[in-house]
Amino acid sequence: EVQLVESGGGLVQPGRSLRLSCAASGFTFDDYAMHWVRQAPGKGLEWVSGIDWNSYTTGYADSVKGRFTISRDNAKNSLYLQMNNLRTDDTALYYCVKDWGNQWLGGWEVDYWGQGTLVTVSS
Amino acid sequence: QSALTQPASVSGSPGQSIAISCTGTSSDVGNYNYVSWYQQRPGKAPKLIIYEVSNRPSDISNRFSGSKSGNTASLTISGLQAEDEADYYCISYTSSSTLVFGGGTKLTVL
């Protein structure tokens, strides 16, 4: 059974940093691209970042470029999102999402989602 | 990168057909056949229902279909059922090598 378990969310002040983690199991992690997607309370979905199976290519939404860094450790079956200089509009539920394929570029076809970890940015 | 434009809500009666539009620009929807649609029921994770504009995963009913004309993609649901009540999101690849969602459409089955 595929499982994606996010952790690392919490309450943080504007300008501070947070690192999200996603522990993957039930599939061959290093065969697939992965993504982070967020959803602010009562709002729609926003793609945040994607990474290839081998970390060769990464991508970011304009809203987080230069502040967030996606990475993965295939040996640990883990995905990460380092979030720096957080802003109040980064407040959202952050989901770890598994791609169908091994590259994130192109169409967005995903098949498994974690339950999400809540990030609240507030003073 | 601005979000794709979807109607906030649509509604229909059981058995009817409805269409949800997703309007972008020549830098995203209009330039790539990389438009997907996701269904999100309350409290559930989004589920892929259409990919690459008009392809359906094998486990998705043929009542769901997708198309594109110019900068606008569309999702059509025929033979509307109560279980179709959900939020629907489109997403497209962009020329900036990013991905952008639509704002989402709430479908109400009357």
Side-chain angles (χ1 to χ4, degrees):
Chain A
E1 178 193 6
V2 172
Q3 284 198 313
L4 299 169
V5 180
E6 302 95 336
S7 61
L11 175 63
V12 62
Q13 292 179 327
R16 304 299 291 265
S17 299
L18 212 54
R19 189 194 196 207
L20 305 184
S21 299
C22 171
S25 61
F27 65 102
T28 305
F29 183 70
D30 56 10
D31 277 352
Y32 297 96
M34 298 292 294
H35 303 265
W36 289 99
V37 172
R38 68 186 181 184
Q39 189 166 29
K43 301 294 185 181
L45 300 170
E46 182 183 12
W47 176 80
V48 173
S49 183
I51 186 168
D52 280 353
W53 66 280
N54 61 358
S55 304
Y56 186 72
T57 305
T58 59
Y60 300 91
D62 289 347
S63 58
V64 307
K65 200 171 295 184
R67 299 187 300 121
F68 290 11
T69 303
I70 191 172
S71 62
R72 64 191 295 163
D73 185 336
N74 287 344
K76 294 183 178 179
N77 289 345
S78 293
L79 178 72
Y80 306 101
L81 186 68
Q82 178 65 43
M83 304 186 296
N84 297 332
N85 191 21
L86 282 161
R87 309 188 306 218
T88 55
D89 59 359
D90 293 320
T91 294
L93 190 61
Y94 284 73
Y95 294 101
C96 170
V97 186
K98 173 187 168 294
D99 202 293
W100 270 10
N102 59 14
Q103 295 182 341
W104 74 269
L105 287 168
W108 201 68
E109 292 97 31
V110 301
D111 50 9
Y112 290 95
W113 297 62
Q115 290 298 308
T117 185
L118 182 63
V119 173
T120 303
V121 184
S122 174
S123 54
Chain B
Q1 185 66 53
S2 299
L4 306 177
T5 301
Q6 296 182 233
S9 63
V10 298
S11 62
S13 300
Q16 287 186 331
S17 294
I18 62 96
I20 299 172
S21 62
C22 169
T23 301
T25 69
S26 57
S27 296
D28 39 63
V29 175
N31 199 34
Y32 301 96
N33 286 327
Y34 287 138
V35 178
S36 301
W37 289 89
Y38 286 79
Q39 176 194 66
Q40 186 178 29
R41 293 192 174 109
K44 299 293 188 180
K47 181 180 178 63
L48 178 67
I49 55 174
I50 295 288
Y51 66 98
E52 292 177 0
V53 174
S54 59
N55 294 303
R56 241 185 359 260
S58 58
D59 62 335
I60 298 300
S61 168
N62 60 9
R63 297 186 300 105
F64 293 88
S65 62
S67 62
K68 190 183 83 167
S69 177
N71 296 337
T72 298
S74 296
L75 171 71
T76 300
I77 308 174
S78 59
L80 210 56
Q81 300 179 1
E83 67 194 40
D84 299 332
E85 190 159 288
D87 292 328
Y88 291 84
Y89 293 91
C90 61
I91 181 170
S92 174
Y93 183 69
T94 82
S95 59
S96 303
S97 296
T98 63
L99 292 153
V100 62
F101 274 103
T105 298
K106 182 177 181 61
L107 169 62
T108 301
V109 181
L110 302 170

